[in-house]
């Protein structure tokens, strides 16, 4: 199978990071749960074709941002706009998750949400069939257009599974796959919906070093070969700094930094968010006693 069989014909090959055209934009997004503010006036501008990583300590609001972008949460304030390749713009604020998916945004989840009792192929076909043009009556009666759509979804599922390296395991139950393969299957299921923007929520969580390297390569290929913009939440800083064009940092629901990976990993506000403030009287042994690891130190240790 070649890349061309997976790639939508109307998509230009390769990403276009830096081109300046915005595909996803939020302004003033504020999300509250009672007295708790999960997102506080968050601004996000994602260029078409780039890999944008969102990082921050646990509880910073990263998944709340994903949920707001995909319709799971409805922020009380702000604006969320998606600009598809076909032109125009669509407000994602308050849109239903299935509508968001139809418009061209797909996501994976921090906690894997596969149908464990179905095969890998069946999991991906469920996603591919959301693009079927045959109506329920045609499907029930087995009309020619329904049979044609069924063949198309089956072909699409095979292509995507091959692209992520799981075609040989297509008949295995999703629940019996290794953790790394389940992560790849979630990505395959998302790709089957033909997204323009792919949101990955901690895709490397629970994977081993070899699987992380394979994931890194897969993300790059999805971005450069398929022309899919990738919005990534990840705690593995080596992976983030390797694949991201830009990095945005959240802390307590607020954006505290944004820029190139090399800039962000040395930003004092980012280091403080991960380690906590260190007083002027504190000795070197006191630095790093806070929870987490700084992006800067994490990268340096992996060199």
């Amino acid at each position: 199978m070649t890349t061309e069989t997976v790639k939508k014909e109307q998509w230009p090959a390769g990403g276009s990071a830096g081109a300046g055209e915005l595909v996803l934009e939020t302004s003033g997004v504020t999300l509250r749960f009672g007295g708790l503010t999960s997102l506080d006036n968050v601004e996000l501008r994602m260029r078409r074709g780039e890999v944008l990583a969102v990082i921050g300590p646990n509880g910073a609001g990263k998944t709340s941002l994903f949920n707001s972008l995909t319709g799971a949460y409805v922020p009380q304030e702000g604006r969320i706009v998606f600009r598809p390749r076909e032109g125009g713009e669509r407000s994602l604020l308050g849109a239903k998750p299935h509508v968001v998916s139809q418009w061209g945004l797909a996501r994976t989840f921090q906690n894997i949400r596969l149908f464990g009792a179905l095969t890998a192929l069946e999991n991906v076909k469920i996603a591919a069939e959301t693009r079927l043009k045959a109506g329920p009556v045609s499907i029930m009666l087995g009309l020619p257009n329904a049979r044609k759509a069924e063949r198309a979804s089956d072909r699409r599922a095979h292509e995507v599974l091959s692209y992520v390296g799981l075609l040989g395991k297509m008949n295995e139950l999703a629940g019996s796959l290794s953790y790394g393969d389940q992560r790849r299957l979630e990505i395959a299921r998302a790709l089957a919906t033909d997204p323009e923007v792919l949101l990955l929520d901690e895709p490397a969580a629970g994977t081993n070093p070899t699987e992380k390297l394979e994931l890194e390569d897969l993300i790059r290929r999805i971005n450069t070969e398929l022309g899919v913009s990738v919005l990534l939440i990840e705690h593995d800083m080596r992976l983030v700094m390797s694949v991201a064009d830009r990095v945005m940092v959240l802390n307590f629901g607020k954006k505290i930094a944004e820029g190139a990976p090399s800039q962000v990993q040395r930003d004092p506000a980012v280091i403080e968010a991960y380690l906590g403030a260190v007083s002027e009287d504190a000795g070197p042994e006191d630095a790093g006693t806070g929870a987490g690891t700084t992006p800067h130190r994490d990268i340096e240790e992996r060199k």
Side-chain angles (χ1 to χ4, degrees), residues 20-39:
E21 181 185 358
L22 296 180
V23 62
L24 196 59
E25 181 179 11
T26 75
S27 58
V29 169
T30 299
L31 176 68
R32 302 184 186 90
F33 297 98
L36 174 66
T37 300
S38 182
L39 296 173

Side-chain angles (χ1 to χ4, degrees), residues 112-283:
I112 293 175
R113 298 186 184 180
L114 296 171
F115 299 103
L118 300 182
T119 67
L121 178 63
E122 290 168 336
N123 269 271
V124 178
K125 276 193 69 174
I126 288 173
E129 287 172 354
T130 63
R131 297 303 189 189
L132 290 181
K133 292 183 170 56
V137 175
S138 298
I139 294 173
M140 286 188 294
L141 296 178
L143 298 181
N145 64 328
R147 295 196 298 271
K148 180 180 179 181
E150 171 68 17
R151 289 192 298 271
S153 67
D154 189 73
R155 182 171 59 251
R156 174 66 178 170
H158 279 77
E159 291 170 353
V160 174
L161 283 171
S162 178
Y163 192 78
V164 302
L166 291 177
L167 188 60
K169 301 179 180 182
M170 67 178 182
N171 292 320
E172 295 186 24
L173 295 180
S176 69
L177 295 174
S178 69
Y179 200 79
D181 284 345
Q182 289 186 31
R183 289 286 184 187
R184 295 168 78 87
L185 181 56
E186 270 216 319
I187 294 174
R189 186 174 63 180
L191 288 177
T193 66
D194 294 332
E196 290 190 30
V197 179
L198 177 62
L199 294 84
L200 302 176
D201 194 349
E202 298 191 30
T207 59
N208 61 44
T210 300
E211 290 168 336
K212 283 183 171 67
L213 290 174
E214 293 172 348
L215 176 64
E216 179 181 319
D217 178 67
L218 178 59
I219 293 173
R220 284 203 188 99
R221 289 195 297 115
I222 290 170
N223 179 241
T224 59
E225 295 176 357
L226 305 184
V228 177
S229 308
V230 178
L231 188 59
L232 170 69
I233 292 176
E234 185 52 62
H235 284 294
D236 188 309
M237 291 301 115
R238 191 207 61 78
L239 175 63
V240 169
M241 300 301 168
S242 175
V243 302
D245 298 306
R246 290 188 304 121
V247 178
M248 170 179 160
V249 188
L250 293 178
N251 192 31
F252 293 111
K254 294 183 178 181
K255 183 170 75 173
I256 61 171
E258 184 176 10
S262 59
Q263 295 174 317
V264 168
Q265 68 178 345
R266 292 175 172 82
D267 189 295
V270 177
I271 294 172
E272 180 178 336
Y274 274 83
L275 289 181
V278 179
S279 69
E280 295 180 0
D281 297 331

